[in-house]
Each structure stands twice: as C-alpha cells, then as structure tokens.
Amino acid sequence: MRLIVGISGASGVIMGYQMLKALKQLPDMEVHLIITEGAVKNFECETNIEISRLAELADFTHSNKNLAASISSGSFVTDGMIIIPASMKTVAGIASGFAENLLLRAADVCLKENRKVVLVPRELPLSRIHLRNIKECADNGCAIVPPMLTFYNGSNSLEQQIDHIIGKILMQFGIEYKKFVSWQGEDICRQ
C-alpha cells in the first residue's frame, strides 16, 4: 500500500507524528510525506520533536514547494492521502481546487483520480466559512475525520485519544490499528 501523509500548519501536529509512527509499523506500507512551513513552526511551538525524526518515519519526504514531485501526478499511483492535522487554509484550498503547493496538489490529484482523501480538520470553534469548506470537501469525495474526544473506550489520556483518531482514520483504508479500541456494545457499560 502507498499513502501520502500531509501535515499542515494547524495545531495538533503531534497527531501527524503519531500517524507516521503507526504507519511505520505496517508491513508493505510506503509513505510519502509533505510537511508545510506552518507545520514546521507548529512542531517547534507544540512539541520537542525534531523535523528530521518525521523524515525517518517516512519512505519519501517531499518539499511542499516541489510541484514536480512524483505525487503531483495522477500517473503516480497511490492508495490515497491523509492530511493530519488539516488547517482551515488547507481545507479551503482543497475545497476550491487552489493547488498552489504540493500538499494541495497531491490532494487535488487524489480527488481527480477517485482516490481516498481523509481530512482531519483542526479548528475550534468552526465558522460558517469553515463548515462550508468542510462540506465542499466532503461533497467532492473527502472523508472528514475531526479529532473529537471519545470516552466510551476508556481513553483517559491524550495518547489514547490520538490512538482512537488514528484508528478511525486507518479504518477508512481498511487498515486495522492495534491500539484502537472499538465499541463493544452496551454490555461493557454495565461492568
């Protein structure tokens, strides 16, 4: 399987890092990574993770400025793309088809080739403009997986919450994630 992972400049870049770690554990998974300039800044502000560590988790890392990269063409076959987190600027670019950088171009290519694009939009609260753009992306084939808190599975830490989100994203590609705890029915509530 070959996936593109985009990390844009929204808060929550740690989710992108955790996604890369999860994908690295999967056999026969080829990961193409794009990190926007805003994401680099957010890694500096929100984490102690060196950007070079992300490149080690991917098979290929592409400059967001390189519109001639392999993943900018539909003839380079992938199984789809995950943008985690997806800034509202990125969502707006996808919604309008404004492919000014590689992250937006790769998403545009996946959509035109009918490949899965999963967006993990990160903003709070959402304005009507944000909601309109998210709906436009969904109407054009994107799966929208917002990083919402989940409590039914006993996720009591930030890491467990992120694992749940990663599990939900990977389900979109038919991939099982060992750290994902699914709903087991109401009997679990009575224990």
Side-chain angles (χ1 to χ4, degrees), residues 90-165:
T90 297
V91 170
I94 293 168
S96 65
F98 187 62
E100 71 167 340
N101 58 41
L102 184 59
L103 181 78
L104 294 173
R105 173 63 184 163
D108 190 55
V109 165
C110 285
L111 290 172
K112 80 179 183 71
E113 299 293 336
N114 293 310
R115 298 174 188 151
K116 177 77 71 177
V117 175
V118 178
L119 301 180
V120 184
R122 237 316 274 129
E123 188 63 70
L124 188 67
L126 294 166
S127 73
R128 289 182 178 129
I129 294 168
H130 300 148
L131 291 167
R132 181 190 66 215
N133 288 337
I134 290 169
K135 182 183 181 306
E136 190 68 26
C137 288
D139 287 347
N140 287 303
C142 293
I144 310 299
V145 183
M148 297 200 176
L149 298 174
T150 303
F151 299 98
Y152 66 78
N153 58 4
S155 295
N156 297 319
S157 71
L158 178 59
E159 187 174 334
Q160 289 171 320
Q161 291 288 339
I162 292 172
D163 284 338
H164 185 78
I165 294 161

Side-chain angles (χ1 to χ4, degrees), residues 19-86:
M19 175 58 74
L20 290 171
K21 284 176 56 177
L23 292 172
K24 187 71 171 175
Q25 301 303 311
L26 300 173
D28 302 319
M29 175 61 71
E30 181 179 301
V31 175
H32 289 258
L33 174 63
I34 310 163
I35 307 169
T36 69
E37 297 78 6
V40 170
K41 185 64 177 169
N42 278 3
F43 270 101
E44 293 171 4
C45 293
E46 296 180 357
T47 76
N48 294 322
I49 300 166
E50 297 289 329
I51 292 298
S52 60
R53 179 68 186 118
L54 279 74
E56 293 169 6
L57 294 170
D59 297 291
F60 301 92
T61 302
H62 303 276
S63 167
N64 194 35
K65 296 176 182 175
N66 183 8
L67 287 170
S70 58
I71 58 176
S72 70
S73 173
S75 64
F76 187 80
V77 179
T78 69
D79 293 287
M81 183 172 188
I82 301 164
I83 303 177
I84 179 171

